């Protein structure tokens, strides 16, 4: 996508200088800065602090990180394995992190060259970016059909950020919205703020604003009332892991949206590439849900007089509990939008 007229992926790498670059998502929307990572430790720091975030972008980052580890460790498989273990355990919930790391690590042998590793990474990255583009085209049909049937702007609700920042490019949940807007279909997006880190208000809103797509940020508690008032036509969210029975793990709060959507007969779509499907796990309750530092609830990122800083919104003495994801049961999900098409059941996906 373009930022100030220039094309960016949210994560990329420089083969010759052995550097990984990422758009620092913690500073948006106030500051647009590129972070450079020169070591696995720096990549892991960026993953854990959410400088790079979003399941598919974590997959790309992990693939680049394995290439970097290969280059730094000059192909020493024991040392690369050490980095691999650190990397795949740096965040537990999004399956893409391991998928991306495995794309490189599982193909290594003592005769693998760095050029071959780089080619593998490039192939994986291109495959993923193509998948996001296709998700956009498939999901577009849903928006288009609604528009043609109802002849009025389509109101779409989304949660967290499943846009191009979260994916490298295009997005998952936002890709169909970008496509609809490009094709002249009038859309309006309800953007869940997504506490505690406000990925919706900071990142999704920033992406939509840059593309001139009409939107409103809403407090996380607002969407139920909007659904009751028939102000939400369809919901599209992303996913961090979709398991065999179709249960979907996504940003905390997704389950409550799905519940309200079900009650109000509003279609609830999950948009994700095949790399987010994990058929080794049967049901959502078996997935590790990341618990993050409670400081993320105590503190909020603000701008004041062109300076950014963290401000406390309640005392550290007040205990807080910060689960990063929840499980939406398959029974609340209308369909999965993937690069292969739209499927009502996960058993049809592969
Ligand atoms: O903790 P994050 O910001 O990495 O979580 C990401 C999400 O849960 C997003 O909602 C998204 O849907 C999955 S990535 C496209």
């Amino acid at each position: 996508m373009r930022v100030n007229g220039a094309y960016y992926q949210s994560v990329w790498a420089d083969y010759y200088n052995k550097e990984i670059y990422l758009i620092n998502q913690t500073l948006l929307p106030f500051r647009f800065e590129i972070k450079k990572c020169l070591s696995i430790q720096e990549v892991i720091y960026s993953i854990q602090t959410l400088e790079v975030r979003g399941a598919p972008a974590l997959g790309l980052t992990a693939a680049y990180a394995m290439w970097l580890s290969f280059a730094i460790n000059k192909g020493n498989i024991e040392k690369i394995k050490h980095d691999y273990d650190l990397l795949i355990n740096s965040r537990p919930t999004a399956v893409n992190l391991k998928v991306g790391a495995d794309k490189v690590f599982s193909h290594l042998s003592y005769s693998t060259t760095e050029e071959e590793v780089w080619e593998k990474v490039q192939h994986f990255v291109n495959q993923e970016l193509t998948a996001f583009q296709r998700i956009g085209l498939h999901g577009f049909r849903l928006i288009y059909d609604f528009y043609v049937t109802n002849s009025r702007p389509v109101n779409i609700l989304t949660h967290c950020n499943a846009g191009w920042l979260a994916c490298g490019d295009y997005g998952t949940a936002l890709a169909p919205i970008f496509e609809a807007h490009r094709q002249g279909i009038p859309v309006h997006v309800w953007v869940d703020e997504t506490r505690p880190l406000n990925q919706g208000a900071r990142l999704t809103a920033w992406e939509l604003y840059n593309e001139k797509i009409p939107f409103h940020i809403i407090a996380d508690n607002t969407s139920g009332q909007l659904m009751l008032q028939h102000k939400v036509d369809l919901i599209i969210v992303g996913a961090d892991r979709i398991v065999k029975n179709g249960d979907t793990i996504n940003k905390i709060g997704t389950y409550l949206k799905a519940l309200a959507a079900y009650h109000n007969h509003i279609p609830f779509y999950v948009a994700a590439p095949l790399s987010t499907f994990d058929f080794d796990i049967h049901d959502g309750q078996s997935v590790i849900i990341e618990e993050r530092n409670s400081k993320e609830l105590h503190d909020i990122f603000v701008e004041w007089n062109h300076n950014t800083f963290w401000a406390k919104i309640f005392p550290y003495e007040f205990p807080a509990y910060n689960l990063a994801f929840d499980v939406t049961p398959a029974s609340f999900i209308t369909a999965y939008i993937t690069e292969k098409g739209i499927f009502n059941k996960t058993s049809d996906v592969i």
Side-chain angles (χ1 to χ4, degrees):
M1 298 292 269
R2 299 186 86 78
V3 181
N4 302 326
Y7 172 79
Y8 285 93
Q9 282 179 200
S10 60
V11 53
W12 71 100
D14 179 335
Y15 178 78
Y16 294 102
N17 292 316
K18 315 295 174 224
E19 292 165 346
I20 297 175
Y21 295 93
L22 48 99
I23 295 173
N24 185 342
Q25 298 189 40
T26 61
L27 303 177
L28 289 169
F30 303 120
R31 297 207 320 262
F32 181 78
E33 279 184 20
I34 306 300
K35 171 88 184 265
K36 184 162 73 177
C37 297
L38 301 171
S39 67
I40 291 295
Q41 289 66 33
E42 285 178 344
V43 173
I44 288 173
Y45 174 85
S46 291
I47 290 173
Q48 292 184 327
T49 56
L50 308 195
E51 287 177 342
V52 60
R53 55 147 292 284
L58 293 178
L60 305 193
T61 306
Y64 284 128
M66 282 289 90
W67 154 75
L68 185 63
S69 172
F70 187 96
I72 290 171
N73 294 307
K74 304 198 177 349
N76 181 316
I77 297 203
E78 286 70 36
K79 289 186 178 166
I80 301 168
K81 168 79 168 79
H82 177 75
D83 287 346
Y84 169 86
D85 287 337
L86 291 176
L87 190 65
I88 64 167
N89 290 308
S90 58
R91 288 193 76 192
T93 304
V95 68
N96 305 62
L97 187 57
K98 184 167 181 311
V99 169
D102 281 343
K103 282 287 165 195
V104 176
F105 188 70
S106 62
H107 294 286
L108 292 185
S109 76
Y110 287 97
S111 60
T112 311
T113 64
E114 196 194 324
E115 287 76 15
E116 286 166 349
V117 172
W118 179 252
E119 268 172 33
K120 273 248 164 299
V121 173
Q122 290 298 99
H123 182 256
F124 173 63
V125 170
N126 290 335
Q127 206 176 31
E128 288 292 89
L129 298 186
T130 305
F132 308 139
Q133 197 176 13
R134 291 202 176 130
I135 287 170
L137 294 171
H138 290 302
F140 161 76
R141 298 296 314 177
L142 299 168
I143 301 172
Y144 176 82
D145 287 349
F146 185 95
Y147 175 65
V148 167
T149 311
N150 297 280
S151 307
R152 62 162 175 80
V154 189
N155 287 299
I156 304 165
L157 176 85
T158 191
H159 190 65
C160 194
N161 171 260
W164 69 271
L165 289 166
C167 298
D169 204 355
Y170 301 105
T172 51
L174 293 195
I177 298 172
F178 290 138
E179 186 61 32
H181 180 68
R182 267 180 222 125
Q183 298 213 27
I185 307 296
V187 289
H188 166 266
V189 186
W190 296 113
V191 178
D192 274 340
E193 181 186 27
T194 320
R195 282 284 291 150
L197 292 175
N198 297 317
Q199 287 95 329
R202 294 187 303 105
L203 306 177
T204 296
W206 182 77
E207 290 188 25
L208 295 172
Y209 184 81
N210 287 345
E211 294 298 305
K212 301 185 173 45
I213 297 176
F215 69 91
H216 284 89
I217 296 166
I218 51 172
D220 288 325
N221 303 329
T222 305
S223 59
Q225 179 60 19
L226 292 177
M227 291 185 218
L228 283 172
Q229 292 175 332
H230 307 292
K231 289 180 176 164
V232 178
D233 300 316
L234 53 103
I235 299 171
I236 315 179
V237 298
D240 288 78
R241 195 182 293 243
I242 302 167
V243 298
K244 193 168 182 182
N245 74 349
D247 289 356
T248 293
I249 293 83
N250 193 48
K251 181 53 57 191
I252 193 82
T254 304
Y255 168 53
L256 290 177
K257 313 291 146 185
L259 261 180
Y262 190 77
H263 181 71
N264 288 282
H265 309 290
I266 294 166
F268 186 93
Y269 296 103
V270 173
L274 298 187
S275 54
T276 302
F277 288 76
D278 179 3
F279 284 2
D280 290 340
I281 297 185
H282 179 265
D283 63 87
Q285 295 311 323
S286 312
V287 175
I288 300 172
I289 301 294
E290 179 179 11
E291 184 186 335
R292 292 185 60 84
N293 196 317
S294 61
K295 254 176 112 338
E296 291 180 352
L297 276 156
H298 288 103
D299 296 345
I300 194 157
F301 186 60
V302 293
E303 186 194 52
W304 179 255
N305 279 344
H306 305 293
N307 292 315
T308 51
F309 50 92
W310 286 91
K312 191 166 33 171
I313 54 173
F314 58 88
Y316 295 135
E317 290 74 27
F318 293 4
Y321 183 47
N322 186 14
L323 280 185
F325 302 96
D326 62 21
V327 180
T328 298
S331 52
F332 293 139
I333 296 167
T334 309
Y336 305 86
I337 308 170
T338 76
E339 63 267 41
K340 280 175 63 180
I342 300 175
F343 301 96
N344 297 111
K345 299 195 300 290
T346 42
S347 53
D348 296 334
V349 172
I350 292 181

